[in-house]
Amino acid sequence: MTTSTIAFQGVPGAYSDLACRDAYPGWATLPCPSFEAAILAVREKRAELAMLPCENSLAGRVPDIHRLLPDSGLSVVGEHFERVEHCLLAPEGATLASIRRAHSHPVALGQVLKLLAEMKLTAVVEADTAGAAKLIAERGGVEDAAIASALAAEIYGLKILRRNVEDEAHNTTRFYVMSRTPLRPPVDAENTVTTFVFRVRSIPGALYKALGGFATNGVNMTKLESYMLDGKFSATQFLCDVDGHPDAPGFQHALEELRFFSRHVTILGAYPAHPYRLSQAEAA
């Protein structure tokens, strides 16, 4: 069994690859063509962990992740916040004056609109940021550049024409770290986060009643998102992040009330809060 490999979706140099390296220095990173493939790599023991993006401070939640988590067969054992620092990358010989086109993922292109306008660059959509860097490196020339990470520049032999070209300095992506084995902190550990999903019963006020136990038991809910199941407008599932340990007495009482008014309550994991989360809470 491999105990020092972490899987991610994308090609080498992707921001998920960078997140893996920052969170688990010295671990081998395993690129996968899809989120499903990254999950499967952990289930098949080709990797010990998977780093899956769940939301971005600018772009919002990452599609498909919420749908995949409940049936993944894996547990959330950690979270990681990665600052997104876009760089303008180009082959040797290219200059800021010679660049005419910028290639990248559409979300990344939408985060560098000021740069595109300033340099009068044509945006060219590619499948992902690191893939754009790889394409530019293979193509060569002095008129095409990529919007990608500094890691992508290092991997594909590109030079960085300009760093931190993103429009917003707070551009940050949050990741769930997934494992085959639940690794919950002790019940009395401070700064524990719990992630779970549930579906409410089809009765008036069900959501209000289901969540009331968290308020009355002093349990802070930091995230509540809804999404359709199987494309049905009548089948809604909710994903929650809550401060606290699911085995703590107050949390247990809240879960009892939640289960009374809900169906299919599933704890996806309990894990230590990332330092970035704590710093944001202190600044609020």
Side-chain angles (χ1 to χ4, degrees), residues 129 139 231:
T129 56
R139 176 179 296 178

Side-chain angles (χ1 to χ4, degrees), residues 181 233 247 253 257:
T181 306
F233 288 93
D247 294 331
H253 295 322
E257 195 160 340

Side-chain angles (χ1 to χ4, degrees), residues 148-162:
S149 67
L151 176 61
E154 177 183 338
I155 290 175
Y156 299 112
L158 297 172
K159 65 177 182 178
I160 300 176
L161 296 181
R162 188 183 291 185

Side-chain angles (χ1 to χ4, degrees), residues 67-177:
R67 173 181 60 83
L68 293 172
L69 290 184
D71 299 321
S72 68
L74 306 180
S75 298
V76 184
V77 297
E79 65 176 350
H80 178 71
F81 290 81
E82 186 71 27
R83 170 81 164 82
V84 178
E85 299 179 325
H86 290 311
C87 297
L88 182 65
L89 314 179
E92 288 297 329
T95 66
L96 290 174
S98 71
I99 297 301
R100 297 291 178 267
R101 293 170 292 276
H103 300 245
S104 197
H105 186 278
V107 171
L109 291 171
Q111 295 173 348
V112 295
L113 297 179
K114 294 177 183 178
L115 173 77
L116 298 178
E118 173 194 336
M119 297 184 62
K120 297 180 173 60
L121 300 177
T122 299
V124 181
V125 173
E126 304 291 353
D128 53 62
T129 56
K134 181 180 180 182
L135 174 68
I136 294 307
E138 293 171 347
R139 176 179 296 178
V142 298
E143 295 189 347
D144 290 275
I147 303 296
S149 67
L151 176 61
E154 177 183 338
I155 290 175
Y156 299 112
L158 297 172
K159 65 177 182 178
I160 300 176
L161 296 181
R162 188 183 291 185
R163 294 178 181 269
N164 299 110
V165 296
E166 61 275 5
D167 295 339
E168 302 291 342
H170 65 75
N171 189 357
T172 302
T173 298
R174 179 181 176 230
F175 296 80
Y176 286 129
V177 180

Side-chain angles (χ1 to χ4, degrees), residues 2 4-7 20 24 26-30:
T2 300
S4 58
T5 298
I6 181 168
C20 290
Y24 295 90
W27 283 48
T29 60
L30 177 65

